[in-house]
Structures are given as structure tokens and as C-alpha cells.
Amino acid sequence: MQLTKTTATEIMSIGKAFAESGMFPDIKSAAQAIVKITAGQEIGIPPFAAMSGIHIISGKPTIGAGLMASCVKGSGKYNYKVKEQTEKVCSIEFFEGAESLGTSTLTIEDAKKAGTKNLDKYARNMLFARAMSNGVKWFCPDVFSGPVYVPEEMEQEQPQEPTDAEINDAIKLIGSCVGRNQLDSAWKTIPAHVRAVDSVLGAAKARALHFKLNESVPSEAEGAE
């Protein structure tokens, strides 16, 4: 997407005009408008589209899935096709010219694990947004000048603080596994906020390495054969 570089003076002037227009209810000051416009310029989005479609969440620019999708189609290089879209799954295939780059699929289960909000009200929209965002990151990241996110990625439930009991139980569960398949299954049952703890992650890595090393060494029975 080609975008004429806007000078700092122009950004300040445009931001002031947008803020004073009253057309953007989420903007309370010229400074907020300037931040949006600047963020848009850095990822290749013009001022008005930035004002309408960009939201700053936790210091990161997020853009609506519709704007992200239009940028893909308007890039002149990439395209996409929605292969499946229901309240249970969204699958989007990405192309560069006629060449398929791959498919981004998100299920309702994936979205729930990620803590995506509003699935009970707007499941189709939420799944499309996350599938689109993943696809852009995986297959056509150069559409934007920097990493971008959809609001649904940032507006998810805040992670819980794991208790000592949860951490100890997870480590015990990992230690009780007797094979890689069992470890993989056990890992999936551990809540995400517990898996993120360094001691739990370290225990899982150590157990996986143990299985890997043992798999490469024949057992006594195998040696006897």
C-alpha cells in the first residue's frame, strides 16, 4: 500500500482537526488523535482510516479485521478467500497472485483457550478477526510496515495468577508422565496461566528432554535382541 509520508506538522494539524470535529467519540484530545495517525503511518494506513480503524491497546496498535482484510486485498500483491465461516470455525486461505500461501484456521475451541471475549454474541466475527490476523502474520506480514493486531487479540481476559498449589500440582503431573505422548496430553490439561510459570515450563522441558534421550538409547530387551 503506497502512502505519502505525512510530516509531523501535518499530523499535528490533522489530529487537532479530527479531535475538534467530534466525529470520533473515542478521541478526547488532539494528542490521542495524533497517536492514532502516527501509528497508522508507521504501518501504512492513511489518517482517516487510522482514526476510524485503529485503537491503541496496551501500547500496541490494533486495527479492525475489516480494515486489515481491505489492506490485504488492496496491497496489489496478496489476496484471500474465506473457505469456511460458521460459529464454530473460520478458515481463510491466503494467496500471492495465483499461488496459495497457506490457510489460517481458528476454531471456537482455539478462541476460548485464548480468552477471546464476546464469543457468545459475535462468534463468527471474533473467529474471522483472529483467523485474519494470524494469516496476515504468517503469510503476508509485509502488507504492513510493522506488527499489527486485531482488538480481539488484546481485549482478552487478563491472565490469572497461579496459586502455589496449582504450580505444585502441575509439576507433579508432569513428573508422573511415563512417555512423550502422555506428557503432551497432560500439558494440554494444565491451564494456560499455570503453563506460563517458569518452573512449570522448565519441568516440562526437562521431562521432554528425558524422554528424547531415552528414546535414542535401546532398552536392555532391545539390546538382547
Side-chain angles (χ1 to χ4, degrees):
M1 176 181 293
Q2 297 296 320
L3 178 64
T4 302
K5 194 72 172 179
T6 307
T7 67
T9 301
E10 290 172 331
I11 289 176
M12 293 178 67
S13 177
I14 295 171
K16 183 174 183 294
F18 281 163
E20 292 178 352
S21 73
M23 296 175 62
F24 305 94
D26 61 321
I27 293 299
K28 307 302 181 185
S29 67
Q32 291 178 327
I34 290 169
V35 169
K36 276 197 174 190
I37 295 169
T38 303
Q41 181 165 264
E42 290 181 355
I43 57 178
I45 296 175
F48 190 86
M51 288 294 296
S52 304
I54 289 183
H55 303 281
I56 308 300
I57 301 176
S58 299
K60 296 180 179 179
T62 70
I63 67 175
L67 178 56
M68 188 178 289
S70 69
C71 288
V72 172
K73 284 187 174 291
S75 66
K77 180 179 180 181
Y78 300 108
N79 205 343
Y80 72 87
K81 179 180 180 180
V82 178
K83 298 180 65 179
E84 182 178 5
Q85 186 177 18
T86 69
E87 293 188 349
K88 299 293 184 181
V89 62
C90 182
S91 186
I92 306 173
E93 186 173 10
F94 287 78
F95 299 87
E96 182 174 357
E99 179 186 359
S100 175
L101 300 175
T103 301
S104 173
T105 299
L106 195 84
T107 67
I108 193 72
E109 289 78 14
D110 295 330
K112 288 178 178 178
K113 288 179 182 178
T116 305
K117 294 183 178 181
N118 295 319
L119 288 173
D120 56 331
K121 298 178 181 178
Y122 312 109
R124 286 167 59 92
N125 291 349
M126 299 299 105
L127 293 177
F128 174 81
R130 297 297 296 268
M132 174 58 65
S133 178
N134 285 342
V136 168
K137 291 185 182 71
W138 296 340
F139 306 121
C140 46
D142 53 318
V143 166
F144 301 100
S145 302
V148 294
Y149 307 84
V150 288
E152 290 77 11
E153 288 179 279
M154 305 300 293
E155 295 176 343
Q156 54 194 38
E157 298 289 347
Q158 293 299 313
Q160 298 174 256
E161 287 295 328
T163 65
D164 290 341
E166 287 179 316
I167 294 172
N168 291 334
D169 287 346
I171 292 175
K172 287 179 182 178
L173 176 61
I174 291 168
S176 69
C177 295
V178 295
R180 184 56 189 261
N181 290 339
Q182 192 177 69
L183 176 61
D184 290 342
S185 297
W187 183 252
K188 293 176 182 178
T189 69
I190 299 173
H193 69 286
V194 180
R195 293 201 303 260
V197 176
D198 288 342
S199 58
V200 176
L201 184 59
K205 288 182 176 180
R207 199 66 178 157
L209 179 60
H210 169 77
F211 293 141
K212 182 177 181 181
L213 292 175
N214 285 346
E215 286 170 358
S216 65
V217 179
S219 68
E220 291 182 3
E222 288 173 334
E225 293 176 359

